[in-house]
Amino acid sequence: METKPLQNFFTNHLGLLYRSALRKKQPDRLLYLAVPSEVYREFFLIQFIQEVIAEHRLKLLVFEPSQQEIVLWKE
């Protein structure tokens, strides 16, 4: 995958507004960001992105689209 679509995927799916709204309506609900395994390997393992994930306390669900299988839950 190209870097630009990966960056767009990350930016568009961070969902800060959604997370804030959900926190107000359903504060006990856990929200996971679903990420295809290829995107996770090529983008989410970059050190800076790892720091952003930690800073925002994002929970990730990494899946393999071709097999429709979850490969990693990351809290």
Side-chain angles (χ1 to χ4, degrees):
M1 288 185 122
E2 296 177 37
T3 303
K4 189 66 174 169
L6 294 173
Q7 292 170 344
N8 290 340
F9 179 89
F10 183 71
T11 303
N12 293 336
H13 290 83
L14 187 56
L16 292 176
L17 294 176
Y18 180 75
R19 290 176 64 209
S20 295
L22 184 62
R23 196 174 299 122
K24 289 183 183 290
K25 291 279 190 182
Q26 299 176 358
D28 295 331
R29 179 172 282 215
L30 294 177
L31 185 63
Y32 284 80
L33 176 62
V35 180
S37 57
E38 181 180 6
V39 174
Y40 179 76
R41 286 190 308 270
E42 293 184 14
F43 184 71
F44 280 77
L45 294 179
I46 296 170
Q47 181 60 38
F48 173 72
I49 302 306
Q50 289 289 310
E51 292 169 9
V52 171
I53 290 168
E55 178 182 342
H56 291 280
R57 293 185 231 156
L58 296 178
K59 296 174 179 13
L60 301 177
L61 178 154
V62 181
F63 66 97
E64 182 57 54
S66 62
Q67 297 174 352
Q68 298 182 347
E69 179 180 54
I70 295 170
V71 294
L72 176 67
W73 292 87
K74 186 167 180 162
E75 301 209 21

